[in-house]
C-alpha cells in the first residue's frame, strides 16, 4: 500500500509481525526501479517476505540467539535476573538472524543489512554474529552501525 510519495520516491507500507504490538509496519522505498525495504522490529512473516521481493537492500532487525543466551547467563550470574528476563522476552518479537537471512534469500534480496543488532556487538564481534549465514543467504551481508551510509549503484 502506497503511503507517501516524496519527490520521485514512492513509500509503501506492509504489515509485519511484532506481536504484541499491532499493527506494526515495515516500509519499502522505490525509485527508478530500485528499492530498499526496512523491516522495523518483526519476526519473519508473509508481509516482510512479500514487501521485500527483489529488493536491492533489505534493512532488518536481527538477533543472534546464541550470543543473546550468553549475555543473559552473564546477567543472571551477576545477579541481574530482571535484566536477563527482559532480554529473554525479546526472543518472542525479534527475528533470529538465520530466519532473516532465509527471508532475504526467499525474497531475492541482493543486500541484507542487519540493524537493531541484538545483542549489540563490537566491530570484532561482527564476524561471529553473522557466522554461518553464507550457507543460508547468497547475497551481500552488512552489519549496520549508527550513521552508516549505503548507496545503490
Amino acid at each position: 500500500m502506497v503511503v507517501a510519495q516524496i519527490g520521485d520516491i514512492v513509500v509503501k507500507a506492509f504489515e509485519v509481525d511484532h506481536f504484541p504490538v499491532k499493527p506494526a509496519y515495515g516500509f519499502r522505498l522505490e525509485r527508478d526501479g530500485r528499492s530498499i525495504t526496512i523491516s522495523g522490529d518483526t519476526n519473519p512473516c508473509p508481509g516482510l517476505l512479500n514487501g521485500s521481493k527483489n529488493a536491492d537492500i533489505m534493512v532488518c532487525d536481527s538477533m543472534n540467539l546464541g550470543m543473546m543466551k550468553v549475555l543473559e547467563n552473564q546477567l543472571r550470574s551477576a545477579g541481574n535476573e530482571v535484566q536477563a528476563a527482559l532480554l529473554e522476552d525479546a526472543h518472542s518479537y525479534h527475528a533470529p538472524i538465520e530466519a532473516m537471512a532465509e527471508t532475504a534469500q526467499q525474497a531475492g534480496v541482493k543486500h541484507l543489512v542487519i540493524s537493531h543488532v541484538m545483542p549489540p556487538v563490537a566491530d570484532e564481534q561482527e564476524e561471529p554474529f553473522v557466522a554461518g549465514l553464507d550457507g543460508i543467504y547468497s547475497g551481500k551481508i552488512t552489519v549496520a552501525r549508527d550513521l552508516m551510509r549505503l548507496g545503490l549503484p
Side-chain angles (χ1 to χ4, degrees):
M1 134 181 60
V2 175
V3 294
Q5 182 153 354
I6 304 160
D8 55 354
I9 299 172
V10 175
V11 181
K12 296 179 178 179
F14 52 88
E15 195 164 355
V16 296
D17 175 12
H18 188 38
F19 186 81
V21 176
K22 280 192 148 214
Y25 295 96
F27 297 94
R28 182 179 179 108
L29 300 110
E30 298 176 341
R31 178 180 174 216
D32 297 331
R34 299 299 215 172
S35 59
I36 298 171
T37 58
I38 305 168
S39 74
D41 293 350
T42 187
N43 278 303
C45 61
L48 178 61
L49 179 63
N50 293 329
S52 298
K53 284 282 187 204
N54 300 313
D56 292 286
I57 296 175
M58 180 174 115
V59 181
C60 65
D61 84 301
S62 287
M63 171 183 57
N64 183 303
L65 193 53
M67 292 175 123
M68 283 288 282
K69 288 181 186 253
V70 167
L71 179 57
E72 292 157 11
N73 289 337
Q74 289 172 342
L75 288 167
R76 282 192 175 91
S77 294
N80 294 321
E81 179 61 39
V82 172
Q83 288 178 327
L86 287 171
L87 285 180
E88 206 166 46
D89 182 57
H91 297 200
S92 64
Y93 51 85
H94 291 283
I97 193 166
E98 297 85 0
M100 286 312 229
E102 186 176 314
T103 298
Q105 183 68 28
Q106 289 175 354
V109 170
K110 295 169 191 69
H111 184 177
L112 175 61
V113 178
I114 308 299
S115 67
H116 194 7
V117 175
M118 294 180 67
V121 294
D123 291 345
E124 64 272 7
Q125 295 171 305
E126 286 182 12
E127 193 172 312
F129 188 86
V130 298
L133 295 186
D134 56 353
I136 300 170
Y137 174 69
S138 60
K140 180 179 179 180
I141 299 172
T142 300
V143 177
R145 294 284 174 211
D146 290 345
L147 304 178
M148 179 181 270
R149 290 179 155 212
L150 300 168
L152 291 174

